[in-house]
Amino acid sequence: VLSLCCEACKKVIFHVPSELEADTLVGRVDLKECLRSAEFISSSDGNFRILEDGSVYTTSAVSLSAEKKTFTILLKDLQEQVQKKIHVSLVEEEKKTQKTRHARDAVLKRTKRRWGPIPSVMIENSLGPFPLQIQQVQSDTAQNYTIYYSASGPGIDQDPKGLFYIERETGNIFATRAVDREQYPSFQIICFATTPDGYSPEVPLVHTIRIEDDNDNAPYFTQDLFEFSVPENSKPGVVVGRVTAEDRDEPYTLHTTLKYRIVSQNPPITPAFSLHGDTGVIAVLLPQLDRELVPSYTLLVEVRDMAGQPFGLCTTGTAVIRIEDTNDNAPSFKQMQYETRVEENKVNVEILRVSVVDLDEPGSPGSGAVYEIIKGNDDRSFEITTDKNTNEGILCVVKGLDYESAKQRVLVISVNNEAPYMLAPHSQQLSQSTSSVTVHVLDMDEGPVFKPCVLRIDVKECEDIGTSIGRYVAEDPETGNSEGISYRIPPGQCNWINIDERSGEVRTIKVLDRDVGEMRRGQCNITVLAIDRNGKTGTGTIQVCIQPGNKNYPRLTTTEFIMCRDRKPICLTAQDGDESPYSTPFVYRITDRNLASMWKLTRHNDNSVYLSPKGDVPFGIYTIPVSVIDNGGKVGENQVTVNVCDCVTPTECDGEARRLGGGNVTLGIWAILAMILGSLLLLLILITICGCCGSGVMQRNVTDDCANHNLIISNTEAPGEEVMDHNIIPLQNTCDQGGYGIKTGEQQTFEMVKGRGHTLESVKGAGHQTVGSIKEAGVQPVMDTCRYSYSEWHNFTHPRLGEKVHLCRQDEEQKHSEDYLLSYNYEGKGSLAGSVGCCSDQHEEEALDFLDQLEPKFRTLAETCIKR
């Protein structure tokens, strides 16, 4: 149910005669002023019909029984749900008599104002009679004054001049002749009302005269000839094209409402196309359009105005529809069998042309032939192409034929089109056309032939000169043997080999080494000629490939190493200039039995091993013979030098370690020279130190027991006891390693030192004072040159001192302490000398923290306990 808003828009009054005939124009109403988009227009009175442009026509003869007749025009917009009404009143025209008014005439009654009438309407191409009254303008002041009317504007005093005029006394407007709406659709004139004395009681009136359209123009097509195309076998409903026409009459009226139709079709067979009456669109109607039967259609089409009614004006036009070709026809050979001949060994020659028949359009992809050899061409001796001009197939020989192998060849050729097949509706599958070709091979006298035509010979690298590496012979195709054939190698090729003139045996003429000159690429192609008795020649190719050989010995990349105290394994890596399979994996062996018992090899990867000692080997330089065997069995002997050094990092090793281990150890010239220079430098330093010490404030004397160097000498404080312990071993021949005595006041001490140039430092403990502390008191110490590092001393003494202290605490009879804790005489306070025991007498039995801070002053005692 639609709920529409309905309201009265306006009222319209038409002055009409009392008698109206059927299809008479009553007037025109501006519908868009009330509702712009009116989808539904109707009249409440069936005697009147309303057109889209607002024209009101009578449907039958109407007689005004009263002076006034009314009806309603209903407008509806279904989308916006709006409804409007226009009230129309028909008033009978009054018959007036011309009367001259004077200003003095009394006006008894005022009527409605007439100075602004509605726009006038004049029928286009009106037949008259002329002059034809079209409107009247009157001023209300004419009741009081004598009014004269005049007008100006287009159609009066402007072009087209004289078309209209206005009566001076009555104000009636007349047309003098017919008007063409297409030339002058409307006129706007200006009307004036004045008194005889020139007074204008009214404002000038702009009056519009609209020319009512008459269907005087027939529609016409926009083109003289319409041309379209559509693929054959198109389905019904496929749009082909559109014909268009125009009409010069007033738009949006019946005069310009056009209808299209097909008048005739050529050829006059079953109608193949349809034409939409309102849009002019042409579509496929026949389900089967076959270009091979009808290549084109010509349609005679008509366009008629007045919505196609019989009294409308019409025009005819022509549309040509061309049927486009599709590949719905398969090509077929004109002959099913062909025969041809060709001489043997002929190449790139045309031997036959074949042709086909195709019903599709010539020159199109649907008729272009594509030939193919589908049988009998396994060796690719033949080739077939298409001649684009004639569409023929050209059969050629691209590889020489051998009469002795086959006297004739039978080929099967097929043909297709360039475009894919498009089957017509309800048609069967297309079959492929084939044809057979018999090729007869003609026998010809030919030269010798190598078999194979290319011979590959693999030669090992570094073979001796003159080594036989193969045999390359040719045969006479006529006899099938090699008799009477000689061989030679043309000059200008790589001279690696030669060939025996009679037997065809191939030998090397130089040592083939892949590392030399042109042989680096490892391959050379050599052309060989074979000549028979008749002088005919044949050619072949020998491809010489140099295979890598086992000519290089594996060698270690590095042979000198330094091994520190951590005994970290050494990685030995070998290289071999040969290629696989004569290189990796390598096999390593220690060839010396004595060294093999001390050292071992552990596999790392294919070309590396780890060298490590089997036990705790002494410090020194070891020369270890190591043999490396490659995958081809070639042995490379190598001498590996390992310096087992007393160091933490290899950079700390001074290279003066002793050479040990059963290997033949010799010193080089530079090593001997370095040792001599070092000794001289050391002697010079000793002389300088002795001279400086003799003249100093503090006297320093070397102890008398320098030969023994067992313990530091101090003043006698209590009777000593001989300690017979296997842990204390006298040190022999140590004077050359640097012992220095330091004397302070009445006390004398001596300390063994070894290592690098560092002085002794103070030991953090109760009552201990060493050379370092004396240095702080102003006594200049002697520079020591052979001292152990702190880490070495600490690692050695800490566990042994801890063991001794532990034994002293566990022994109730204190037998062990007699060797380490000795009694001394009281010296008084302020003694600079500390205890020379392994540890000081501690009053607090549990205070042993000082053992963690012991410093190198206990080096001598540590050396006495190095072996247990």
Side-chain angles (χ1 to χ4, degrees), residues 184-185 236 254 292 304 338 420 451 469 521 561 568 645 647 700 809 830 848:
Y184 302 106
L254 284 175
E292 288 72 33
R304 185 181 293 270
Y338 293 89
K451 293 184 179 180
I469 59 175
R521 62 179 182 266
F561 303 92
K568 184 178 181 180
C645 183
C647 61
R700 282 160 278 188
R809 294 179 61 186
L848 300 177

mmCIF file with all atom_site columns, all heavy atoms in Angstrom, residues 184-185 236 254 292 304 338 420 451 469 521 561 568 645 647 700 809 830 848:
data_model
loop_
_atom_site.group_PDB
_atom_site.id
_atom_site.type_symbol
_atom_site.label_atom_id
_atom_site.label_alt_id
_atom_site.label_comp_id
_atom_site.label_asym_id
_atom_site.label_entity_id
_atom_site.label_seq_id
_atom_site.pdbx_PDB_ins_code
_atom_site.Cartn_x
_atom_site.Cartn_y
_atom_site.Cartn_z
_atom_site.occupancy
_atom_site.B_iso_or_equiv
_atom_site.pdbx_formal_charge
_atom_site.auth_seq_id
_atom_site.auth_comp_id
_atom_site.auth_asym_id
_atom_site.auth_atom_id
_atom_site.pdbx_PDB_model_num
ATOM 1   N N   . TYR A 1 184 ? 12.148  29.022  -35.383 1.00 0.00 ? 184 TYR A N   1
ATOM 2   C CA  . TYR A 1 184 ? 11.817  29.972  -34.307 1.00 0.00 ? 184 TYR A CA  1
ATOM 3   C C   . TYR A 1 184 ? 10.920  29.261  -33.304 1.00 0.00 ? 184 TYR A C   1
ATOM 4   O O   . TYR A 1 184 ? 9.702   29.232  -33.457 1.00 0.00 ? 184 TYR A O   1
ATOM 5   C CB  . TYR A 1 184 ? 11.093  31.197  -34.881 1.00 0.00 ? 184 TYR A CB  1
ATOM 6   C CG  . TYR A 1 184 ? 11.881  31.933  -35.950 1.00 0.00 ? 184 TYR A CG  1
ATOM 7   C CD1 . TYR A 1 184 ? 11.515  31.825  -37.294 1.00 0.00 ? 184 TYR A CD1 1
ATOM 8   C CD2 . TYR A 1 184 ? 12.961  32.730  -35.604 1.00 0.00 ? 184 TYR A CD2 1
ATOM 9   C CE1 . TYR A 1 184 ? 12.232  32.498  -38.277 1.00 0.00 ? 184 TYR A CE1 1
ATOM 10  C CE2 . TYR A 1 184 ? 13.673  33.396  -36.587 1.00 0.00 ? 184 TYR A CE2 1
ATOM 11  C CZ  . TYR A 1 184 ? 13.311  33.283  -37.914 1.00 0.00 ? 184 TYR A CZ  1
ATOM 12  O OH  . TYR A 1 184 ? 14.014  33.941  -38.880 1.00 0.00 ? 184 TYR A OH  1
ATOM 13  N N   . PRO A 1 185 ? 11.526  28.680  -32.260 1.00 0.00 ? 185 PRO A N   1
ATOM 14  C CA  . PRO A 1 185 ? 10.687  27.945  -31.300 1.00 0.00 ? 185 PRO A CA  1
ATOM 15  C C   . PRO A 1 185 ? 9.819   28.850  -30.440 1.00 0.00 ? 185 PRO A C   1
ATOM 16  O O   . PRO A 1 185 ? 8.765   28.426  -29.966 1.00 0.00 ? 185 PRO A O   1
ATOM 17  C CB  . PRO A 1 185 ? 11.708  27.188  -30.447 1.00 0.00 ? 185 PRO A CB  1
ATOM 18  C CG  . PRO A 1 185 ? 12.969  27.964  -30.581 1.00 0.00 ? 185 PRO A CG  1
ATOM 19  C CD  . PRO A 1 185 ? 12.968  28.571  -31.939 1.00 0.00 ? 185 PRO A CD  1
ATOM 20  N N   . PRO A 1 236 ? 22.320  -17.280 -30.065 1.00 0.00 ? 236 PRO A N   1
ATOM 21  C CA  . PRO A 1 236 ? 21.240  -16.284 -30.126 1.00 0.00 ? 236 PRO A CA  1
ATOM 22  C C   . PRO A 1 236 ? 21.315  -15.335 -28.939 1.00 0.00 ? 236 PRO A C   1
ATOM 23  O O   . PRO A 1 236 ? 21.611  -15.724 -27.820 1.00 0.00 ? 236 PRO A O   1
ATOM 24  C CB  . PRO A 1 236 ? 19.964  -17.146 -30.093 1.00 0.00 ? 236 PRO A CB  1
ATOM 25  C CG  . PRO A 1 236 ? 20.397  -18.475 -30.624 1.00 0.00 ? 236 PRO A CG  1
ATOM 26  C CD  . PRO A 1 236 ? 21.800  -18.668 -30.148 1.00 0.00 ? 236 PRO A CD  1
ATOM 27  N N   . LEU A 1 254 ? 5.496   12.905  -28.759 1.00 0.00 ? 254 LEU A N   1
ATOM 28  C CA  . LEU A 1 254 ? 5.216   11.812  -29.683 1.00 0.00 ? 254 LEU A CA  1
ATOM 29  C C   . LEU A 1 254 ? 5.872   12.040  -31.039 1.00 0.00 ? 254 LEU A C   1
ATOM 30  O O   . LEU A 1 254 ? 6.150   11.088  -31.764 1.00 0.00 ? 254 LEU A O   1
ATOM 31  C CB  . LEU A 1 254 ? 3.711   11.642  -29.857 1.00 0.00 ? 254 LEU A CB  1
ATOM 32  C CG  . LEU A 1 254 ? 2.978   10.948  -28.694 1.00 0.00 ? 254 LEU A CG  1
ATOM 33  C CD1 . LEU A 1 254 ? 1.473   10.955  -28.956 1.00 0.00 ? 254 LEU A CD1 1
ATOM 34  C CD2 . LEU A 1 254 ? 3.462   9.518   -28.527 1.00 0.00 ? 254 LEU A CD2 1
ATOM 35  N N   . GLU A 1 292 ? 30.651  -20.018 -44.311 1.00 0.00 ? 292 GLU A N   1
ATOM 36  C CA  . GLU A 1 292 ? 30.863  -20.714 -45.570 1.00 0.00 ? 292 GLU A CA  1
ATOM 37  C C   . GLU A 1 292 ? 29.590  -20.753 -46.429 1.00 0.00 ? 292 GLU A C   1
ATOM 38  O O   . GLU A 1 292 ? 29.664  -20.864 -47.649 1.00 0.00 ? 292 GLU A O   1
ATOM 39  C CB  . GLU A 1 292 ? 31.365  -22.124 -45.309 1.00 0.00 ? 292 GLU A CB  1
ATOM 40  C CG  . GLU A 1 292 ? 32.813  -22.194 -44.813 1.00 0.00 ? 292 GLU A CG  1
ATOM 41  C CD  . GLU A 1 292 ? 32.985  -21.708 -43.392 1.00 0.00 ? 292 GLU A CD  1
ATOM 42  O OE1 . GLU A 1 292 ? 32.036  -21.911 -42.590 1.00 0.00 ? 292 GLU A OE1 1
ATOM 43  O OE2 . GLU A 1 292 ? 34.027  -21.114 -43.073 1.00 0.00 ? 292 GLU A OE2 1
ATOM 44  N N   . ARG A 1 304 ? 10.282  5.088   -37.367 1.00 0.00 ? 304 ARG A N   1
ATOM 45  C CA  . ARG A 1 304 ? 9.019   5.827   -37.497 1.00 0.00 ? 304 ARG A CA  1
ATOM 46  C C   . ARG A 1 304 ? 8.771   6.568   -36.193 1.00 0.00 ? 304 ARG A C   1
ATOM 47  O O   . ARG A 1 304 ? 8.983   6.023   -35.104 1.00 0.00 ? 304 ARG A O   1
ATOM 48  C CB  . ARG A 1 304 ? 7.875   4.872   -37.807 1.00 0.00 ? 304 ARG A CB  1
ATOM 49  C CG  . ARG A 1 304 ? 6.539   5.561   -38.091 1.00 0.00 ? 304 ARG A CG  1
ATOM 50  C CD  . ARG A 1 304 ? 5.472   4.520   -38.353 1.00 0.00 ? 304 ARG A CD  1
ATOM 51  N NE  . ARG A 1 304 ? 5.726   3.795   -39.579 1.00 0.00 ? 304 ARG A NE  1
ATOM 52  C CZ  . ARG A 1 304 ? 5.278   4.145   -40.781 1.00 0.00 ? 304 ARG A CZ  1
ATOM 53  N NH1 . ARG A 1 304 ? 4.564   5.252   -40.917 1.00 0.00 ? 304 ARG A NH1 1
ATOM 54  N NH2 . ARG A 1 304 ? 5.542   3.416   -41.840 1.00 0.00 ? 304 ARG A NH2 1
ATOM 55  N N   . TYR A 1 338 ? 52.307  -39.369 -51.594 1.00 0.00 ? 338 TYR A N   1
ATOM 56  C CA  . TYR A 1 338 ? 53.263  -38.653 -52.431 1.00 0.00 ? 338 TYR A CA  1
ATOM 57  C C   . TYR A 1 338 ? 54.528  -39.499 -52.546 1.00 0.00 ? 338 TYR A C   1
ATOM 58  O O   . TYR A 1 338 ? 54.837  -40.314 -51.659 1.00 0.00 ? 338 TYR A O   1
ATOM 59  C CB  . TYR A 1 338 ? 53.635  -37.293 -51.805 1.00 0.00 ? 338 TYR A CB  1
ATOM 60  C CG  . TYR A 1 338 ? 52.497  -36.293 -51.749 1.00 0.00 ? 338 TYR A CG  1
ATOM 61  C CD1 . TYR A 1 338 ? 51.638  -36.253 -50.641 1.00 0.00 ? 338 TYR A CD1 1
ATOM 62  C CD2 . TYR A 1 338 ? 52.290  -35.388 -52.783 1.00 0.00 ? 338 TYR A CD2 1
ATOM 63  C CE1 . TYR A 1 338 ? 50.606  -35.331 -50.565 1.00 0.00 ? 338 TYR A CE1 1
ATOM 64  C CE2 . TYR A 1 338 ? 51.262  -34.450 -52.713 1.00 0.00 ? 338 TYR A CE2 1
ATOM 65  C CZ  . TYR A 1 338 ? 50.427  -34.434 -51.606 1.00 0.00 ? 338 TYR A CZ  1
ATOM 66  O OH  . TYR A 1 338 ? 49.405  -33.519 -51.547 1.00 0.00 ? 338 TYR A OH  1
ATOM 67  N N   . PRO A 1 420 ? 43.131  -22.435 -32.965 1.00 0.00 ? 420 PRO A N   1
ATOM 68  C CA  . PRO A 1 420 ? 42.486  -23.655 -32.452 1.00 0.00 ? 420 PRO A CA  1
ATOM 69  C C   . PRO A 1 420 ? 41.105  -23.828 -33.072 1.00 0.00 ? 420 PRO A C   1
ATOM 70  O O   . PRO A 1 420 ? 40.446  -22.872 -33.490 1.00 0.00 ? 420 PRO A O   1
ATOM 71  C CB  . PRO A 1 420 ? 42.396  -23.391 -30.939 1.00 0.00 ? 420 PRO A CB  1
ATOM 72  C CG  . PRO A 1 420 ? 42.428  -21.906 -30.803 1.00 0.00 ? 420 PRO A CG  1
ATOM 73  C CD  . PRO A 1 420 ? 43.295  -21.403 -31.917 1.00 0.00 ? 420 PRO A CD  1
ATOM 74  N N   . LYS A 1 451 ? 83.516  -43.482 -37.980 1.00 0.00 ? 451 LYS A N   1
ATOM 75  C CA  . LYS A 1 451 ? 82.514  -43.956 -37.026 1.00 0.00 ? 451 LYS A CA  1
ATOM 76  C C   . LYS A 1 451 ? 83.210  -44.190 -35.698 1.00 0.00 ? 451 LYS A C   1
ATOM 77  O O   . LYS A 1 451 ? 84.073  -45.062 -35.610 1.00 0.00 ? 451 LYS A O   1
ATOM 78  C CB  . LYS A 1 451 ? 81.861  -45.253 -37.520 1.00 0.00 ? 451 LYS A CB  1
ATOM 79  C CG  . LYS A 1 451 ? 81.007  -45.061 -38.763 1.00 0.00 ? 451 LYS A CG  1
ATOM 80  C CD  . LYS A 1 451 ? 80.303  -46.354 -39.145 1.00 0.00 ? 451 LYS A CD  1
ATOM 81  C CE  . LYS A 1 451 ? 79.416  -46.169 -40.371 1.00 0.00 ? 451 LYS A CE  1
ATOM 82  N NZ  . LYS A 1 451 ? 78.732  -47.412 -40.763 1.00 0.00 ? 451 LYS A NZ  1
ATOM 83  N N   . ILE A 1 469 ? 97.362  -43.792 -27.457 1.00 0.00 ? 469 ILE A N   1
ATOM 84  C CA  . ILE A 1 469 ? 96.170  -43.455 -26.668 1.00 0.00 ? 469 ILE A CA  1
ATOM 85  C C   . ILE A 1 469 ? 94.884  -43.879 -27.362 1.00 0.00 ? 469 ILE A C   1
ATOM 86  O O   . ILE A 1 469 ? 93.794  -43.659 -26.819 1.00 0.00 ? 469 ILE A O   1
ATOM 87  C CB  . ILE A 1 469 ? 96.126  -41.941 -26.401 1.00 0.00 ? 469 ILE A CB  1
ATOM 88  C CG1 . ILE A 1 469 ? 96.099  -41.159 -27.702 1.00 0.00 ? 469 ILE A CG1 1
ATOM 89  C CG2 . ILE A 1 469 ? 97.298  -41.515 -25.536 1.00 0.00 ? 469 ILE A CG2 1
ATOM 90  C CD1 . ILE A 1 469 ? 95.934  -39.646 -27.520 1.00 0.00 ? 469 ILE A CD1 1
ATOM 91  N N   . ARG A 1 521 ? 93.194  -25.651 -20.293 1.00 0.00 ? 521 ARG A N   1
ATOM 92  C CA  . ARG A 1 521 ? 91.769  -25.934 -20.440 1.00 0.00 ? 521 ARG A CA  1
ATOM 93  C C   . ARG A 1 521 ? 91.469  -27.427 -20.444 1.00 0.00 ? 521 ARG A C   1
ATOM 94  O O   . ARG A 1 521 ? 90.313  -27.836 -20.322 1.00 0.00 ? 521 ARG A O   1
ATOM 95  C CB  . ARG A 1 521 ? 91.238  -25.293 -21.718 1.00 0.00 ? 521 ARG A CB  1
ATOM 96  C CG  . ARG A 1 521 ? 91.871  -25.794 -23.000 1.00 0.00 ? 521 ARG A CG  1
ATOM 97  C CD  . ARG A 1 521 ? 91.252  -25.116 -24.214 1.00 0.00 ? 521 ARG A CD  1
ATOM 98  N NE  . ARG A 1 521 ? 91.803  -25.590 -25.456 1.00 0.00 ? 521 ARG A NE  1
ATOM 99  C CZ  . ARG A 1 521 ? 92.803  -25.009 -26.088 1.00 0.00 ? 521 ARG A CZ  1
ATOM 100 N NH1 . ARG A 1 521 ? 93.366  -23.927 -25.556 1.00 0.00 ? 521 ARG A NH1 1
ATOM 101 N NH2 . ARG A 1 521 ? 93.261  -25.490 -27.228 1.00 0.00 ? 521 ARG A NH2 1
ATOM 102 N N   . PHE A 1 561 ? 106.022 -25.230 15.049  1.00 0.00 ? 561 PHE A N   1
ATOM 103 C CA  . PHE A 1 561 ? 104.977 -24.944 16.016  1.00 0.00 ? 561 PHE A CA  1
ATOM 104 C C   . PHE A 1 561 ? 105.593 -24.725 17.386  1.00 0.00 ? 561 PHE A C   1
ATOM 105 O O   . PHE A 1 561 ? 106.713 -25.189 17.658  1.00 0.00 ? 561 PHE A O   1
ATOM 106 C CB  . PHE A 1 561 ? 103.955 -26.082 16.093  1.00 0.00 ? 561 PHE A CB  1
ATOM 107 C CG  . PHE A 1 561 ? 103.309 -26.411 14.773  1.00 0.00 ? 561 PHE A CG  1
ATOM 108 C CD1 . PHE A 1 561 ? 103.851 -27.382 13.939  1.00 0.00 ? 561 PHE A CD1 1
ATOM 109 C CD2 . PHE A 1 561 ? 102.172 -25.734 14.370  1.00 0.00 ? 561 PHE A CD2 1
ATOM 110 C CE1 . PHE A 1 561 ? 103.259 -27.677 12.729  1.00 0.00 ? 561 PHE A CE1 1
ATOM 111 C CE2 . PHE A 1 561 ? 101.574 -26.040 13.165  1.00 0.00 ? 561 PHE A CE2 1
ATOM 112 C CZ  . PHE A 1 561 ? 102.116 -27.004 12.345  1.00 0.00 ? 561 PHE A CZ  1
ATOM 113 N N   . LYS A 1 568 ? 98.330  -28.011 24.327  1.00 0.00 ? 568 LYS A N   1
ATOM 114 C CA  . LYS A 1 568 ? 97.210  -27.954 23.374  1.00 0.00 ? 568 LYS A CA  1
ATOM 115 C C   . LYS A 1 568 ? 97.620  -28.613 22.062  1.00 0.00 ? 568 LYS A C   1
ATOM 116 O O   . LYS A 1 568 ? 98.690  -28.335 21.532  1.00 0.00 ? 568 LYS A O   1
ATOM 117 C CB  . LYS A 1 568 ? 96.806  -26.509 23.117  1.00 0.00 ? 568 LYS A CB  1
ATOM 118 C CG  . LYS A 1 568 ? 95.602  -26.352 22.219  1.00 0.00 ? 568 LYS A CG  1
ATOM 119 C CD  . LYS A 1 568 ? 95.243  -24.899 22.063  1.00 0.00 ? 568 LYS A CD  1
ATOM 120 C CE  . LYS A 1 568 ? 94.027  -24.730 21.174  1.00 0.00 ? 568 LYS A CE  1
ATOM 121 N NZ  . LYS A 1 568 ? 93.665  -23.311 21.010  1.00 0.00 ? 568 LYS A NZ  1
ATOM 122 N N   . CYS A 1 645 ? 107.589 -25.508 25.085  1.00 0.00 ? 645 CYS A N   1
ATOM 123 C CA  . CYS A 1 645 ? 108.136 -24.382 25.822  1.00 0.00 ? 645 CYS A CA  1
ATOM 124 C C   . CYS A 1 645 ? 107.417 -24.204 27.141  1.00 0.00 ? 645 CYS A C   1
ATOM 125 O O   . CYS A 1 645 ? 106.220 -24.522 27.268  1.00 0.00 ? 645 CYS A O   1
ATOM 126 C CB  . CYS A 1 645 ? 108.022 -23.115 24.973  1.00 0.00 ? 645 CYS A CB  1
ATOM 127 S SG  . CYS A 1 645 ? 108.748 -21.663 25.723  1.00 0.00 ? 645 CYS A SG  1
ATOM 128 N N   . CYS A 1 647 ? 105.809 -21.976 28.835  1.00 0.00 ? 647 CYS A N   1
ATOM 129 C CA  . CYS A 1 647 ? 105.148 -20.691 28.633  1.00 0.00 ? 647 CYS A CA  1
ATOM 130 C C   . CYS A 1 647 ? 103.653 -20.868 28.781  1.00 0.00 ? 647 CYS A C   1
ATOM 131 O O   . CYS A 1 647 ? 103.139 -21.982 28.835  1.00 0.00 ? 647 CYS A O   1
ATOM 132 C CB  . CYS A 1 647 ? 105.480 -20.125 27.252  1.00 0.00 ? 647 CYS A CB  1
ATOM 133 S SG  . CYS A 1 647 ? 104.946 -21.199 25.900  1.00 0.00 ? 647 CYS A SG  1
ATOM 134 N N   . ARG A 1 700 ? 127.186 -5.543  49.763  1.00 0.00 ? 700 ARG A N   1
ATOM 135 C CA  . ARG A 1 700 ? 126.512 -6.799  49.444  1.00 0.00 ? 700 ARG A CA  1
ATOM 136 C C   . ARG A 1 700 ? 127.565 -7.832  49.129  1.00 0.00 ? 700 ARG A C   1
ATOM 137 O O   . ARG A 1 700 ? 128.388 -7.635  48.240  1.00 0.00 ? 700 ARG A O   1
ATOM 138 C CB  . ARG A 1 700 ? 125.595 -6.621  48.231  1.00 0.00 ? 700 ARG A CB  1
ATOM 139 C CG  . ARG A 1 700 ? 124.306 -5.940  48.592  1.00 0.00 ? 700 ARG A CG  1
ATOM 140 C CD  . ARG A 1 700 ? 123.662 -5.357  47.374  1.00 0.00 ? 700 ARG A CD  1
ATOM 141 N NE  . ARG A 1 700 ? 124.297 -4.060  47.083  1.00 0.00 ? 700 ARG A NE  1
ATOM 142 C CZ  . ARG A 1 700 ? 123.864 -3.216  46.156  1.00 0.00 ? 700 ARG A CZ  1
ATOM 143 N NH1 . ARG A 1 700 ? 122.845 -3.533  45.430  1.00 0.00 ? 700 ARG A NH1 1
ATOM 144 N NH2 . ARG A 1 700 ? 124.473 -2.054  45.958  1.00 0.00 ? 700 ARG A NH2 1
ATOM 145 N N   . ARG A 1 809 ? 99.655  -30.527 62.288  1.00 0.00 ? 809 ARG A N   1
ATOM 146 C CA  . ARG A 1 809 ? 98.478  -30.418 63.145  1.00 0.00 ? 809 ARG A CA  1
ATOM 147 C C   . ARG A 1 809 ? 97.957  -31.775 63.555  1.00 0.00 ? 809 ARG A C   1
ATOM 148 O O   . ARG A 1 809 ? 97.365  -31.937 64.610  1.00 0.00 ? 809 ARG A O   1
ATOM 149 C CB  . ARG A 1 809 ? 97.386  -29.641 62.409  1.00 0.00 ? 809 ARG A CB  1
ATOM 150 C CG  . ARG A 1 809 ? 97.769  -28.178 62.155  1.00 0.00 ? 809 ARG A CG  1
ATOM 151 C CD  . ARG A 1 809 ? 96.675  -27.467 61.416  1.00 0.00 ? 809 ARG A CD  1
ATOM 152 N NE  . ARG A 1 809 ? 95.434  -27.478 62.211  1.00 0.00 ? 809 ARG A NE  1
ATOM 153 C CZ  . ARG A 1 809 ? 94.278  -27.028 61.756  1.00 0.00 ? 809 ARG A CZ  1
ATOM 154 N NH1 . ARG A 1 809 ? 94.178  -26.570 60.512  1.00 0.00 ? 809 ARG A NH1 1
ATOM 155 N NH2 . ARG A 1 809 ? 93.201  -27.067 62.532  1.00 0.00 ? 809 ARG A NH2 1
ATOM 156 N N   . GLY A 1 830 ? 112.482 -5.154  66.901  1.00 0.00 ? 830 GLY A N   1
ATOM 157 C CA  . GLY A 1 830 ? 112.901 -4.372  65.743  1.00 0.00 ? 830 GLY A CA  1
ATOM 158 C C   . GLY A 1 830 ? 113.844 -5.071  64.815  1.00 0.00 ? 830 GLY A C   1
ATOM 159 O O   . GLY A 1 830 ? 114.516 -4.422  64.035  1.00 0.00 ? 830 GLY A O   1
ATOM 160 N N   . LEU A 1 848 ? 95.999  -19.420 59.178  1.00 0.00 ? 848 LEU A N   1
ATOM 161 C CA  . LEU A 1 848 ? 96.804  -19.909 58.054  1.00 0.00 ? 848 LEU A CA  1
ATOM 162 C C   . LEU A 1 848 ? 96.460  -19.176 56.754  1.00 0.00 ? 848 LEU A C   1
ATOM 163 O O   . LEU A 1 848 ? 96.769  -19.655 55.666  1.00 0.00 ? 848 LEU A O   1
ATOM 164 C CB  . LEU A 1 848 ? 96.588  -21.416 57.871  1.00 0.00 ? 848 LEU A CB  1
ATOM 165 C CG  . LEU A 1 848 ? 96.955  -22.288 59.063  1.00 0.00 ? 848 LEU A CG  1
ATOM 166 C CD1 . LEU A 1 848 ? 96.626  -23.744 58.782  1.00 0.00 ? 848 LEU A CD1 1
ATOM 167 C CD2 . LEU A 1 848 ? 98.437  -22.155 59.392  1.00 0.00 ? 848 LEU A CD2 1
#
